[in-house]
Amino acid sequence: MTPRILVVEDQEDNRRIIRDLLASAGYQMIEALDGESGVRLAETERPDLILMDIQLPGLDGYEATRRIKANPELCSIPIIVVTSYALSGDDVKAMQAGCDAYVAKPFSPRQLLAKIREFLAAGPVPAA
Ligand code: MN
């Protein structure tokens, strides 16, 4: 089965970069443009992994991460937060929200792919 990755990202430029990256690696991408639809698509699509932006219209990436991780049926899906706020302590906030890993923008495509592969190879995250 082709791994399916849900990308929650409001910026088309960023989605295009990630879309190309995931396609080149043979992954299928599901796209959400805001936090609410990110949570909804996590429920309906049950992706193998989620890439989560933080700054999103409406529900931000922290709250979307909290809601997904609070759902016992979804909490095993690894969430990698991708954000540009590494210098302002948002990496700590992202981990507190329950994400499994953190990648700062601008990310190198190789680094992001390595992180994705690490989690997909490890299988679902055991429930805490
Ligand atoms: Mn954003």
Side-chain angles (χ1 to χ4, degrees), residues 8-99:
V8 188
E9 168 64 67
D10 59 323
Q11 302 292 325
E12 167 57 23
D13 286 356
N14 290 334
R15 281 200 311 282
R16 193 178 56 238
I17 292 167
I18 294 173
R19 194 182 297 133
D20 291 348
L21 180 69
L22 295 183
S24 74
Y27 297 133
Q28 190 184 327
M29 173 167 159
I30 302 158
E31 303 186 24
L33 277 60
D34 58 54
E36 283 84 356
S37 46
V39 174
R40 197 174 59 243
L41 284 169
E43 289 166 356
T44 58
E45 297 291 329
R46 305 296 166 105
D48 298 291
L49 184 143
I50 298 170
L51 294 182
M52 180 74 74
D53 182 29
I54 288 301
Q55 206 173 25
L56 293 164
L59 205 64
D60 69 18
Y62 300 123
E63 188 53 32
T65 296
R66 270 184 221 107
R67 292 190 190 185
I68 292 166
K69 289 297 184 179
N71 183 334
E73 294 185 7
L74 304 179
C75 65
S76 65
I77 303 172
I79 299 180
I80 301 175
V81 162
V82 183
T83 187
S84 42
Y85 298 140
L87 297 180
S88 59
D90 281 27
D91 48 347
V92 175
K93 278 165 73 181
M95 296 311 281
Q96 284 169 346
C99 81

Side-chain angles (χ1 to χ4, degrees), residues 99-117:
C99 81
D100 300 283
Y102 176 87
V103 173
K105 290 176 194 166
F107 54 82
S108 86
R110 238 176 47 173
Q111 176 198 10
L112 181 60
L113 261 190
K115 191 57 86 179
I116 290 169
R117 288 197 169 114

